[in-house]
Amino acid sequence: MLRSSIFRLSLYYRVLKEKVNESISSSELAELAGVNASQVRKDLSQFGQFGIRGKGYKGDELRRHLQGILGLDRKWCIALIGVGNLGFALLNYSGFRKDGFKFCAAFDNSLAKIGKTWGGVKIHDISELNETIHKKDIKIGIITVPAREAPKIADMLVEAGIKGILNFAPVKIDVPKDVKLVNVDLSIQLEGLSYYLKDN
Amino acid sequence: MLRSSIFRLSLYYRVLKEKVNESISSSELAELAGVNASQVRKDLSQFGQFGIRGKGYKGDELRRHLQGILGLDRKWCIALIGVGNLGFALLNYSGFRKDGFKFCAAFDNSLAKIGKTWGGVKIHDISELNETIHKKDIKIGIITVPAREAPKIADMLVEAGIKGILNFAPVKIDVPKDVKLVNVDLSIQLEGLSYYLKDN
DNA sequence: TAGATTGTTAATCGATTAACAATC
DNA sequence: TAGATTGTTAATCGATTAACAATC
């Protein structure tokens, strides 16, 4: 399945929250999500037939389907590694919670932080990574350590059996192909803006 | 110019930092950046001929070219709107600084924050947005307010003459086509992971 | 039935990769 | 000169959009 399709399904899932008790056509949904109507129908058709010809889609029904497709109908236990400013912000970001994501443990190597509880989450020493991931059945790792430490942390996560990594460190991470890696590179996003603005 | 090409140029720019005193071939550069060698040459060829046939590219020279192309050879004054946890983390993120990005002002509507200085940046009332942007010659706006406030803030930024917006709010923002908008949607990235993991 | 809108196929568009002549 | 590697064109691949028969 296409990365970009999945991205758009999340978008549809989000905008449908406002249409729970209504019917909605592919063109309305497209308008709300900022994409093409054909694309909406194509994206959905990869997973089933959710609409009624001549009528459109039922908001709540489609939303429930998308929730299942995206795997948001369950709890996801997350580990966050690197409780700096960004890590702290993510621990406290409430937007994740409503999608079933829950921070089950945080890790850092700073003695000042280990043992403390931030955002309701206990901070462990990184040496406890493997054991904690198994014990708490953690499925997703979020890397918010400095770039030079990130590849090693990624290896430790893979070693511990993690199959999904969200990496914020500005460095190339290599993972086996059965591990899904998503990079969020804030510097590169900002540099993209710089390019477009430089001749204004 | 393609969004994806620009993204990769930033990647090349980053990995070349380690190759400043060396020559490097398109295939080495591709390896470091995790892309195809033809793509490296194609990307670069859109902006000029920077290599020597039979030899490759000079690291420092190519890096300087990329710096100019990306507009990173100058200072960029940034405004951050919404000094919550994420806003605070970005204000204190040192990674932006080395690329010439500088937070010149922050804005919030909380009386407890207005007038304070965080990460070396003064927090203003949002009512001072327009005036401050003009006075400080701010070119880029970063939106880290809650979703429901984000569209209004975006309008204010556009009104103030901002031409580049980095939006972290999980909501669709509309801007005129002479304004470049980049969305960073953390929930959607995480939902993407959920999709790939759900059948494991 | 007539109108509307889906699901799906076909056409288009764009991006990536391969190939190779040019040339250091 | 021989070997290497660029810059660029051609081929391939994949994603988006348009079109339309199916059908509510």
Side-chain angles (χ1 to χ4, degrees):
Chain A
M1 191 54 48
L2 294 75
R3 181 84 187 75
S4 48
S5 267
I6 301 304
F7 178 92
R8 286 190 299 269
L9 292 182
S10 282
L11 228 45
Y12 308 153
Y13 179 69
R14 178 182 292 164
V15 303
L16 281 171
K17 194 162 46 184
E18 313 299 326
K19 300 282 168 181
V20 167
N21 292 313
E22 302 167 44
S23 274
I24 186 168
S25 67
S26 59
S27 46
E28 284 178 82
L29 187 46
E31 167 68 23
L32 290 173
V35 305
N36 179 289
S38 289
Q39 192 153 59
V40 169
R41 298 198 297 277
K42 188 70 172 274
D43 286 337
L44 297 176
S45 75
Q46 297 181 284
F47 295 95
Q49 306 190 161
F50 306 125
I52 304 158
R53 287 168 198 240
K55 294 270 191 261
Y57 304 86
K58 289 183 180 172
D60 54 348
E61 199 181 299
L62 181 54
R63 189 157 201 272
R64 209 162 34 247
H65 279 300
L66 291 175
Q67 188 179 45
I69 292 165
L70 292 168
L72 302 177
D73 52 356
R74 69 197 74 185
K75 285 268 166 284
W76 288 103
C77 224
I78 300 178
L80 182 134
I81 304 93
V83 192
N85 288 312
L86 181 59
F88 181 76
L90 296 177
L91 284 181
N92 286 280
Y93 181 56
S94 60
F96 295 152
R97 233 164 290 157
K98 66 177 170 4
D99 288 330
F101 298 112
K102 181 178 192 301
F103 288 102
C104 295
F107 298 87
D108 205 291
N109 59 13
S110 153
L111 290 176
K113 293 174 186 167
I114 294 165
K116 295 247 167 62
T117 295
W118 274 11
V121 183
K122 188 172 171 200
I123 303 173
H124 299 255
D125 190 296
I126 286 181
S127 66
E128 298 171 22
L129 189 72
N130 198 308
E131 186 195 338
T132 311
I133 283 173
H134 283 102
K135 198 164 62 189
K136 300 209 170 187
D137 197 30
I138 292 170
K139 298 295 186 192
I140 293 174
I142 298 185
I143 299 180
T144 45
V145 300
R148 71 177 180 287
E149 295 172 26
K152 189 191 60 198
I153 296 292
D155 290 345
M156 291 175 73
L157 288 170
V158 170
E159 176 68 24
I162 287 283
K163 298 292 183 212
I165 296 177
L166 186 59
N167 172 48
F168 285 85
V171 67
K172 192 178 157 219
I173 299 281
D174 292 308
V175 294
K177 56 190 162 330
D178 68 325
V179 176
K180 183 73 188 170
L181 171 69
V182 172
N183 290 297
V184 176
D185 200 314
L186 301 180
S187 292
I188 282 186
Q189 303 297 338
L190 209 41
E191 289 172 13
L193 277 183
S194 164
Y195 168 79
Y196 287 103
L197 297 182
K198 75 174 199 297
D199 298 321
N200 275 334
Chain B
M1 190 54 47
L2 295 74
R3 180 83 187 78
S4 49
S5 267
I6 302 303
F7 178 91
R8 287 189 299 268
L9 292 183
S10 281
L11 228 44
Y12 307 154
Y13 179 69
R14 177 182 293 162
V15 302
L16 280 171
K17 193 160 48 185
E18 314 299 325
K19 298 282 168 180
V20 167
N21 292 311
E22 301 167 44
S23 274
I24 186 167
S25 67
S26 58
S27 47
E28 285 178 82
L29 187 45
E31 168 67 23
L32 290 173
V35 304
N36 179 289
S38 289
Q39 193 153 58
V40 169
R41 298 198 297 276
K42 188 71 173 272
D43 286 337
L44 296 176
S45 74
Q46 297 180 284
F47 294 95
Q49 305 191 162
F50 306 126
I52 303 159
R53 286 167 198 241
K55 292 273 191 262
Y57 304 86
K58 289 183 180 172
D60 55 348
E61 201 181 297
L62 181 55
R63 189 156 200 272
R64 211 161 33 245
H65 280 299
L66 291 174
Q67 189 179 43
I69 291 166
L70 293 169
L72 302 178
D73 52 356
R74 69 197 75 185
K75 285 267 166 285
W76 289 103
C77 223
I78 300 179
L80 182 135
I81 302 93
V83 192
N85 288 314
L86 181 58
F88 182 75
L90 296 178
L91 284 180
N92 286 281
Y93 181 55
S94 59
F96 294 152
R97 234 165 289 159
K98 64 175 169 11
D99 287 330
F101 298 112
K102 182 179 191 302
F103 287 103
C104 295
F107 298 88
D108 206 292
N109 59 11
S110 153
L111 290 175
K113 293 174 186 167
I114 294 166
K116 295 248 167 62
T117 295
W118 274 12
V121 183
K122 189 172 169 200
I123 302 174
H124 299 257
D125 190 299
I126 286 180
S127 64
E128 297 172 22
L129 189 70
N130 198 309
E131 185 197 336
T132 311
I133 283 174
H134 284 102
K135 197 163 67 189
K136 300 209 172 186
D137 197 30
I138 291 170
K139 300 295 187 193
I140 294 174
I142 299 185
I143 298 180
T144 45
V145 300
R148 71 176 180 287
E149 296 171 24
K152 190 191 62 197
I153 296 291
D155 290 344
M156 292 175 72
L157 288 171
V158 170
E159 176 68 24
I162 287 284
K163 298 293 182 211
I165 295 177
L166 188 60
N167 172 48
F168 287 84
V171 67
K172 192 180 157 219
I173 299 280
D174 292 308
V175 293
K177 56 190 163 333
D178 68 324
V179 175
K180 185 72 189 173
L181 172 69
V182 172
N183 290 298
V184 176
D185 200 314
L186 302 180
S187 291
I188 284 186
Q189 303 298 338
L190 209 40
E191 288 172 14
L193 276 183
S194 164
Y195 168 79
Y196 287 102
L197 297 183
K198 75 175 198 298
D199 298 320
N200 274 335

